[in-house]
């Protein structure tokens, strides 16, 4: 029997089952009024995704020889930086609180894809290629903290397209209910 040995250090999942952590996103954005009811917005968001699974960590040294092989629980954490763009329609506009509906999308890049082998705290990092694209619709509320600064909460329904990103809750369940919280500057 021919036994294939890996040619590089990496992680292999033993089962297809993962336990996912709650995705956490924060952001800041700018919204520009086009009319009394319509506005365009863009911003910057940060998202932290986690999952835990059982797998095998294989370390291949410079000579191409396996010098470490561990089966363990593995914790995967991913850090995404994104640019959301949305069109907003104002439903209720008061001096202190605004209610609105919105639709749009986002482009996100995984900056850091880290695997921690839980049995001995070895850390393995991988490079995530490409970007994550998503589309969303939702409603929101913005509490005005000043003339141009607001704190917003945007519940939404978001769909994450298959963009060959690292396995996460987004690849396992691409249609998700989300809640984004952040600061917005209104110009």
């Amino acid at each position: 029997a021919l036994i294939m040995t890996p040619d590089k250090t990496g992680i292999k999942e033993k089962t297809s089952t993962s336990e996912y952590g709650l995705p956490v996103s924060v952001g800041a954005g700018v919204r520009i009024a086009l009319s009394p009811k319509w506005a365009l917005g863009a911003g910057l968001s940060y998202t932290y995704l986690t999952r835990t699974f059982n797998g095998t960590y294989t370390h291949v040294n410079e000579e191409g020889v396996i010098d470490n092989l561990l089966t363990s629980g593995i914790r995967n954490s991913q850090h995404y930086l994104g640019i959301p763009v949305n069109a907003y329609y104002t439903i209720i506009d008061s001096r202190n609180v605004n209610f609105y509906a919105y639709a749009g999308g986002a482009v996100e890049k995984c900056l850091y894809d880290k695997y921690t082998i839980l049995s001995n705290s070895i850390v393995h990092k991988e490079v995530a290629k490409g970007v994550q694209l998503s589309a969303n619709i939702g409603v929101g509320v913005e509490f005005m903290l000043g003339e141009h600064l607001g704190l917003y909460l945007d519940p939404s329904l978001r769909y994450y397209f298959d963009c060959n990103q690292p396995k996460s809750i987004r690849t396992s369940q691409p249609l998700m209910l989300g809640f984004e919280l952040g600061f917005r500057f209104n110009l």
Side-chain angles (χ1 to χ4, degrees):
L2 179 64
I3 298 174
M4 299 294 290
T5 59
D7 58 353
K8 65 179 185 170
T9 298
I11 302 287
K12 182 171 171 83
E13 293 187 42
K14 289 183 69 90
T15 65
S16 60
T17 306
S18 293
E19 292 182 22
Y20 297 101
L22 183 66
V24 176
S25 292
V26 293
V30 175
R31 187 165 63 177
I32 300 169
L34 301 175
S35 73
K37 291 284 188 182
W38 288 96
L40 284 178
L44 194 61
S45 65
Y46 164 79
T47 302
Y48 179 66
L49 303 173
T50 61
R51 72 183 178 109
T52 305
F53 60 93
N54 289 320
T56 301
Y57 167 74
T58 305
H59 184 267
V60 178
N61 66 22
E62 292 175 2
E63 289 82 34
V65 176
I66 296 173
D67 62 4
N68 199 350
L69 180 65
L70 297 167
T71 298
S72 171
I74 298 172
R75 180 177 170 86
N76 177 218
S77 60
Q78 300 164 11
H79 302 260
Y80 278 86
L81 192 59
I83 299 173
V85 177
N86 290 301
Y88 296 89
Y89 180 77
T90 301
I91 299 167
I92 297 174
D93 186 12
S94 75
R95 202 169 71 127
N96 298 321
V97 179
N98 299 317
F99 292 98
Y100 51 88
Y102 64 96
V107 176
E108 295 176 276
K109 174 67 178 162
C110 182
L111 301 176
Y112 196 67
D113 186 20
K114 178 177 85 168
Y115 297 84
T116 304
I117 298 17
L118 299 177
S119 63
N120 65 0
S121 300
I122 289 175
V123 173
H124 171 70
K125 298 173 190 164
E126 293 191 0
V127 175
K129 297 178 181 173
V131 295
Q132 175 68 65
L133 301 175
S134 62
N136 65 288
I137 58 170
V139 294
V141 60
E142 182 176 17
F143 301 97
M144 299 308 296
L145 303 175
E147 186 178 347
H148 297 287
L149 178 64
L151 174 67
Y152 69 91
L153 174 64
D154 286 353
S156 67
L157 189 59
R158 183 173 298 270
Y159 183 80
Y160 294 93
F161 297 99
D162 182 2
C163 297
N164 295 316
Q165 291 299 290
K167 186 174 180 181
S168 71
I169 186 90
R170 294 172 168 180
T171 60
S172 294
Q173 180 182 321
L175 183 61
M176 296 176 50
L177 181 62
F179 296 92
E180 189 173 307
L181 173 68
F183 292 99
R184 180 179 294 127
F185 298 96
N186 294 291
L187 302 176

